[in-house]
């Protein structure tokens, strides 16, 4: 939950942490009498106060995160110029080059590499300043030498925190993407029910049901073509969505509802007999009859026909589907709006 919260509010957290870091810098450099660095961090603190204010008002949040990246780069260069090396300011642009790739808003995703290039250039500039020994205020360098080790440790900890946090954000984003991909692969896009591919995969994996009876119920919407021809495919889709909602509402914890194709649906009930399967089928069909789809002043009510098959061997699930399908179409040919649970003959 903590990681999920961090991911959801990653921009606000990032801006807030930057505010805390610069506030602490004001205290650290103030105690050392480094007025130039104090002024620099006051400016950065004011920037992050404004950025957080904009973020809370939901204005320019994504833009502010991108601007904060450039603030960090500029801060590192100026700090290196004022204080010189030995204090770990090089770590900031070095760490942010990788971090910004996952923090940059989606609106700027096509500019990520350009933004990273700017970071690489800034990192090189700080590196050259550090190795060349260029210092604008040598007295600042001398004042900070006494706290060089803890200051460098502080800057190292900040960089590690940023990289670790962004790594967590990346992992959560990757996990969410994988979940969304898995969902799309296994579910029907229109109804949200499981699709045929997932059902067949599930049947192959249900080894524990080999000796237990199960029921397969094949549903079909009566006169669905007439609905499409009369009201259009968009209304037809709404009818299918309504039917799918009825199926979901009537499914138990281990039951499975599947859009088999077109207006055909399958219900799978594990560890049940024919009486239970028939009872559930009637329950679903009655629920569907009570529902309607409103189109202007018209109310579209639908009925369904169902075929029921019970089987014991999970390896014969295809036979169960075939039998349920045959019973379904027997019902379609002999009045519709019914369920068939046994072979009737012609």
């Amino acid at each position: 939950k903590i990681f999920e919260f961090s991911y959801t509010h990653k921009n606000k957290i990032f801006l807030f942490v930057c505010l805390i870091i610069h506030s602490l810098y004001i205290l650290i450099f103030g105690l050392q009498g480094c007025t130039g660095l104090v002024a620099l961090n006051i400016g950065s603190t004011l920037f992050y106060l404004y950025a957080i204010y904009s973020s809370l008002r939901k204005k320019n949040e994504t833009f502010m995160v991108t601007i904060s990246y450039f603030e960090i780069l500029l801060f590192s260069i100026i700090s290196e110029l004022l204080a010189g090396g030995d204090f770990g300011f090089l770590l900031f642009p070095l760490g942010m080059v990788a971090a910004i790739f996952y923090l940059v808003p989606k609106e700027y995703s096509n500019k990520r590499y350009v933004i990273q290039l700017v970071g690489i250039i800034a990192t090189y500039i700080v590196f050259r300043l550090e190795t060349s020994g260029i210092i604008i205020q040598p007295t600042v360098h001398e004042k900070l030498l006494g706290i060089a080790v803890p200051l460098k440790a502080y800057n190292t900890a900040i960089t590690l925190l940023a990289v670790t946090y962004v790594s967590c954000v990346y992992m959560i984003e990757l996990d969410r993407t994988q979940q969304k991909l898995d969902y799309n692969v296994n579910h029907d896009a229109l109804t949200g029910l499981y699709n045929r591919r997932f059902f067949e995969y599930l049947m192959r994996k249900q080894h524990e049901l080999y000796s237990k009876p199960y029921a397969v119920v094949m549903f079909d919407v009566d006169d669905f073509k007439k609905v499409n021809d009369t009201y259009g495919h968009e209304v037809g889709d709404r009818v299918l969505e309504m039917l799918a909602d009825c199926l979901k509402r009537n499914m138990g914890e281990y039951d499975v509802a599947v859009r088999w194709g077109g207006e055909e649906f399958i219900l799978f009930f594990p560890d049940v007999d024919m009486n239970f399967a028939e009872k559930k089928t009637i329950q679903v069909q009655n629920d569907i009859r009570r529902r309607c789809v409103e189109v202007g002043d018209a109310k579209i009510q639908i009925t369904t026909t169902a075929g029921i098959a019970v089987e014991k061997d999970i390896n014969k699930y295809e036979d169960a589907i075939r039998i349920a399908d045959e019973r379904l179409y027997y019902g379609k040919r002999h009045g519709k709006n019914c369920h068939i649970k046994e072979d009737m003959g012609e």
Side-chain angles (χ1 to χ4, degrees), residues 85-322:
D86 303 322
F87 307 115
F89 293 115
L90 174 64
L91 295 171
F92 293 158
L94 193 62
M96 286 306 297
V97 166
I100 194 60
F101 191 84
Y102 303 109
L103 285 176
V104 69
K106 292 181 180 179
E107 299 93 297
Y108 304 103
S109 58
N110 59 335
K111 300 182 178 64
R112 279 175 173 171
Y113 296 106
V114 175
I115 294 173
Q116 280 192 315
L117 179 60
V118 174
I120 292 171
I121 294 172
T123 303
Y124 179 75
I125 291 173
V126 176
F127 172 75
R128 291 297 299 164
L129 290 173
E130 184 175 306
T131 55
S132 63
I134 298 176
I135 305 174
I136 294 179
Q137 295 183 332
T139 54
V140 172
H141 182 80
E142 294 173 3
K143 290 178 181 179
L144 294 178
L145 281 177
I147 61 167
V149 173
L151 182 58
K152 192 167 186 177
Y154 176 66
N155 290 341
T156 302
I158 291 172
T159 304
L160 289 174
L161 176 64
V163 173
T164 302
Y165 172 66
V166 172
S167 297
C168 291
V169 169
Y170 169 70
M171 291 305 297
I172 293 172
E173 186 172 307
L174 186 64
D175 183 61
R176 284 190 171 188
T177 301
Q178 185 62 50
Q179 289 179 8
K180 186 181 294 185
L181 179 62
D182 290 342
Y183 182 88
N184 291 337
V185 168
N186 295 325
H187 290 76
D188 174 61
L190 176 65
T191 63
L193 298 178
Y194 288 117
N195 57 26
R196 186 168 182 165
R197 175 190 176 278
F198 176 79
F199 180 72
E200 291 177 339
Y201 166 79
L202 182 65
M203 292 300 98
R204 292 193 297 270
K205 293 295 183 180
Q206 296 302 307
H207 300 295
E208 70 276 10
L209 296 180
Y210 279 173
S211 59
K212 298 178 182 180
Y214 61 91
V216 172
V217 182
M218 180 78 80
F219 272 88
D220 187 273
V221 181
D222 296 332
D223 302 314
F224 185 68
K225 184 177 184 301
K226 184 177 179 181
V227 173
N228 278 333
D229 292 344
T230 304
Y231 299 100
H233 289 279
E234 183 177 347
V235 174
D237 287 347
R238 289 173 56 192
V239 168
L240 294 179
E241 289 173 333
M242 180 270 288
L243 186 144
D245 183 62
C246 289
L247 299 183
K248 293 174 188 176
R249 286 158 52 95
N250 288 281
M251 291 298 96
E253 183 178 0
Y254 300 106
D255 303 335
V256 179
V258 181
R259 186 182 182 190
W260 194 244
E263 66 271 26
E264 286 189 335
F265 298 82
I266 279 182
L267 302 184
F268 174 77
F269 300 112
D271 197 13
V272 300
D273 56 18
M274 179 60 79
N275 289 334
F276 180 88
E278 183 179 20
K279 180 181 176 180
K280 290 292 290 187
T281 301
I282 294 172
Q283 177 182 318
V284 172
Q285 288 184 305
N286 288 338
D287 192 15
I288 292 170
R289 292 188 191 101
R290 288 191 292 266
R291 305 281 287 274
C292 68
V293 173
E294 296 185 3
V295 183
D297 296 331
K299 292 184 178 180
I300 304 173
Q301 291 182 295
I302 63 169
T303 61
T304 58
T305 302
I308 310 172
V310 172
E311 177 59 66
K312 290 184 178 180
D313 189 346
I314 199 68
N315 288 314
K316 297 181 179 180
Y317 78 90
E318 291 177 325
D319 292 336
I321 293 173
R322 177 183 54 77

